[in-house]
């Protein structure tokens, strides 16, 4: 089952954000670009490397108007304890959402049935609250924050330039393709 194009359902959960406990809901990203970054659990092996990688690029995401929300099925209290004890996680300034009731994990389709943990899922959400890109990775496979940033930049470019498409490895400033011109040339060609 795909979640492409799915609108994120309303939610409100406890979160830990840069040393403070707070609440986060869908209202916190309405009208903005967002990345929801699901991971299995705090105090694990691959997860801190991924969250630190995102933390290192957090300002770059903010510069393009995109907020990051990391999500696990741990509580916000566990996020706080992890943040206080791990140098890698101490770098995290974006919201760390607690999802012990599995509300968000189920909505995004990453909850592992019978286990209670989330799969490694990365979701790009448009300002309208729709999932426009996602990937699910194997449990032991870490993701790369710079690729997620590139995908958000491509999504933003395409939103502003609907007559264009971004080829593989596209980055802001690179050439794009114009499918209408290509189709016109093919129609005129004599095969």
């Amino acid at each position: 089952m795909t979640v492409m194009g799915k609108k994120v359902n309303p939610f409100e959960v406890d979160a830990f954000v840069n040393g403070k406990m707070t609440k986060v809901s869908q209202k916190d990203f309405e009208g903005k670009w967002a990345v929801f970054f699901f991971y299995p659990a705090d105090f694990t092996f691959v997860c801190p490397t991924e969250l630190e990688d995102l933390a290192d690029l957090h300002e770059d995401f903010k510069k393009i108007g995109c907020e990051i929300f990391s999500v696990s099925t741990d509580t916000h209290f566990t996020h706080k304890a992890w943040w206080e004890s791990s140098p890698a996680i101490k770098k995290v300034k974006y919201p760390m959402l607690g999802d012990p009731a599995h509300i968000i994990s189920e909505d995004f389709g990453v909850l592992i049935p019978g286990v209670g943990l989330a799969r490694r899922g990365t979701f790009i959400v448009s300002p309208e609250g729709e999932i426009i890109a996602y990937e699910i990775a194997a449990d032991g496979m870490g993701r790369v924050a710079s690729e997620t940033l590139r995908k958000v930049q491509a999504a933003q470019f395409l939103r502003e330039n609907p007559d264009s498409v971004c080829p593989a490895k596209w980055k802001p400033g690179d050439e794009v393709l114009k499918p209408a011109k290509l189709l016109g040339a093919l129609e005129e060609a004599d095969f």
Side-chain angles (χ1 to χ4, degrees):
M1 183 173 103
T2 183
V3 293
M4 186 65 75
K6 177 190 179 309
K7 198 147 175 99
V8 176
N9 286 322
F11 68 85
E12 182 176 83
V13 295
D14 292 314
F16 180 77
V17 185
N18 198 22
K20 297 182 177 128
M21 304 290 198
T22 189
K23 296 271 188 193
V24 171
S25 75
Q26 79 285 349
K27 293 177 184 171
D28 292 301
F29 64 91
E30 284 178 355
K32 303 174 190 170
W33 289 92
V35 168
F36 281 80
F37 195 85
F38 291 85
Y39 63 96
D42 295 351
F43 295 99
T44 55
F45 306 100
V46 176
C47 299
T49 66
E50 294 183 308
L51 270 61
E52 180 180 28
D53 190 29
L54 277 172
D56 290 343
L57 291 180
H58 187 213
E59 287 301 315
D60 293 333
F61 280 92
K62 286 172 58 175
K63 284 178 189 170
I64 63 168
C66 181
E67 185 55 78
I68 297 168
F69 298 92
S70 65
V71 188
S72 77
T73 58
D74 297 294
T75 68
H76 60 302
F77 296 113
T78 307
H79 293 333
K80 180 180 186 294
W82 195 27
W83 187 83
E84 290 173 343
S85 65
S86 167
I89 299 306
K90 190 77 166 187
K91 293 180 176 182
V92 173
K93 307 291 185 219
Y94 50 80
M96 299 176 73
L97 281 55
D99 190 28
H102 308 155
I103 295 165
I104 307 171
S105 300
E106 284 183 346
D107 188 37
F108 280 78
V110 293
L111 186 67
I112 302 169
V115 178
L117 299 176
R119 294 196 184 284
R120 289 187 197 289
T122 308
F123 298 82
I124 298 172
V125 178
S126 74
E128 293 75 33
E130 292 182 5
I131 297 169
I132 61 161
Y134 71 96
E135 72 173 314
I136 309 295
D139 290 339
M141 184 186 306
R143 294 158 284 177
V144 180
S146 61
E147 176 59 6
T148 302
L149 178 63
R150 186 196 73 80
K151 287 178 182 178
V152 173
Q153 291 168 324
Q156 291 174 335
F157 178 86
L158 293 173
R159 180 188 192 102
E160 294 173 14
N161 302 278
D163 62 329
S164 299
V165 294
C166 299
K169 299 182 184 180
W170 177 90
K171 291 183 180 163
D174 288 355
E175 287 189 35
V176 295
L177 303 174
K178 303 282 187 181
K181 288 182 183 177
L182 293 173
L183 289 175
L186 287 175
E187 289 171 358
E188 293 175 12
D190 184 21
F191 290 101

